[in-house]
Amino acid sequence: MSSARLDLKNLRKSFGHTHVLADINLSVQPGEFVSILGPSGAGKSTILQLLTGAIAPDGGQMLLDDQPLTPAQHRFAFMPQGDALMPWRRIIDNATLGLEVQGLGRQAARSRVIPLFEEFGLAGFENHYPAQLSGGMRQRAALLRTVVQQRPMLLLDEPFGALDALTRAQMQRWLADMWTRHRWTVLLITHDVREAMLLSDRIYVLSARPACVAHHFQVPLDHPRHSVGSPELAALEARILQTLLNPED
């Protein structure tokens, strides 16, 4: 998977009289894991909708490797909230769906996907239906469907938000290990401060809407991180929570 650098400059978006995003400025470097935190309704998911071309900005710039991003480019692999697996398709057919939409033939798509089932912990479940899998396995299948598209950047919109606490913690560790191995370029939307600290190189915290970047944090620890219990991360967590609660300070 090739990587790319993303730059958002003074990005603005309103829906009617509701101003959602005001002058969003952020960047994601190749091979970097970046998270966006913010209060509910701040426009975190709106940023991903703008990047995928589902909606258009009112102003500002979206640049990929210094070139203006257009909807026709389809440069991102997007994983929405929840797994969005089609219940009538077997797991292997769910995993190949993005490739088939791109125009790849069924057999060619399967040939690209099948070697990844073991790495994603899904070997032996290729012909199962989503209802036959645990929540964590469904999320791994959804992520497999996302990364196999080999886009320059992954956009993850609260991928573990619907899971129970134990499964969510297991999936966070699994994703941390997978990212360390593959060094995908990732932009993650999350409400979970500890999830952001466990996974991210950098964290952007948005203000309430109309949202701008209230603060930008570097996470000062090497990957992989299987614990956020160190004094350094405890102090960082406190600073992030303080920013979320009092973004104007």
Side-chain angles (χ1 to χ4, degrees):
M1 180 188 296
S2 62
S3 294
R5 186 180 78 256
L6 174 69
D7 293 287
L8 304 184
K9 298 182 178 181
N10 304 116
L11 195 64
R12 303 188 303 279
K13 181 63 184 177
S14 296
F15 297 97
H17 296 295
T18 303
H19 302 296
V20 178
L21 302 178
D23 293 326
I24 295 293
N25 291 277
L26 62 82
S27 65
V28 184
Q29 301 300 317
E32 191 176 32
F33 200 121
V34 172
S35 291
I36 300 177
L37 291 166
S40 295
K44 300 184 295 297
S45 295
T46 299
I47 293 173
L48 298 193
Q49 290 180 294
L50 290 166
L51 290 172
T52 60
I55 57 177
D58 297 330
Q61 292 181 294
M62 298 187 293
L63 304 175
L64 202 64
D65 289 335
D66 295 321
Q67 298 300 313
L69 181 66
T70 64
Q73 289 178 299
H74 300 296
R75 302 296 302 276
F76 304 103
F78 174 53
M79 181 174 169
Q81 297 180 23
D83 56 64
L85 298 176
M86 295 184 175
W88 61 89
R89 291 177 69 111
R90 298 179 189 274
I91 294 302
I92 189 168
D93 296 318
N94 268 287
T96 59
L97 182 59
L99 295 174
E100 292 175 29
V101 169
Q102 294 176 31
L104 201 63
R106 185 168 181 265
Q107 290 305 316
R110 285 190 168 208
S111 296
R112 186 182 296 183
V113 166
I114 287 173
L116 298 174
F117 267 80
E118 183 172 357
E119 185 175 14
F120 277 70
L122 295 168
F125 293 90
E126 292 87 345
N127 293 311
H128 286 58
Y129 289 98
Q132 297 174 292
L133 271 59
S134 68
M137 293 178 73
R138 289 169 62 106
Q139 293 303 104
R140 292 200 299 271
L143 190 62
L144 170 56
R145 178 190 57 201
T146 304
V147 303
V148 77
Q149 297 174 49
Q150 298 182 339
R151 299 298 191 185
M153 188 175 297
L154 307 181
L155 306 178
L156 308 181
D157 191 358
E158 298 191 65
F160 308 138
L163 300 176
D164 64 85
L166 178 59
T167 304
R168 184 167 62 248
Q170 292 170 337
M171 287 299 299
Q172 289 166 352
R173 284 192 172 196
W174 175 81
L175 180 56
D177 288 337
M178 290 289 286
W179 180 85
T180 302
R181 191 180 312 162
H182 292 279
R183 292 289 172 169
W184 301 313
T185 305
V186 180
L187 182 61
L188 169 72
I189 301 297
T190 182
H191 280 100
D192 188 333
V193 174
R194 291 200 169 190
E195 178 173 271
M197 293 195 306
L198 181 70
L199 295 169
S200 307
D201 296 301
R202 294 185 297 116
I203 299 169
Y204 287 93
V205 178
L206 301 186
S207 67
R209 70 185 186 193
C212 62
V213 174
H215 211 294
H216 168 222
F217 296 92
Q218 191 87 27
V219 184
L221 290 179
D222 294 334
H223 294 277
R225 307 173 192 132
H226 288 164
S227 171
V228 291
S230 70
E232 295 89 347
L233 287 185
L236 177 60
E237 181 178 17
R239 291 173 58 205
I240 293 173
L241 289 171
Q242 177 67 20
T243 301
L244 285 166
L245 293 170
N246 301 285
E248 303 304 322
D249 290 352

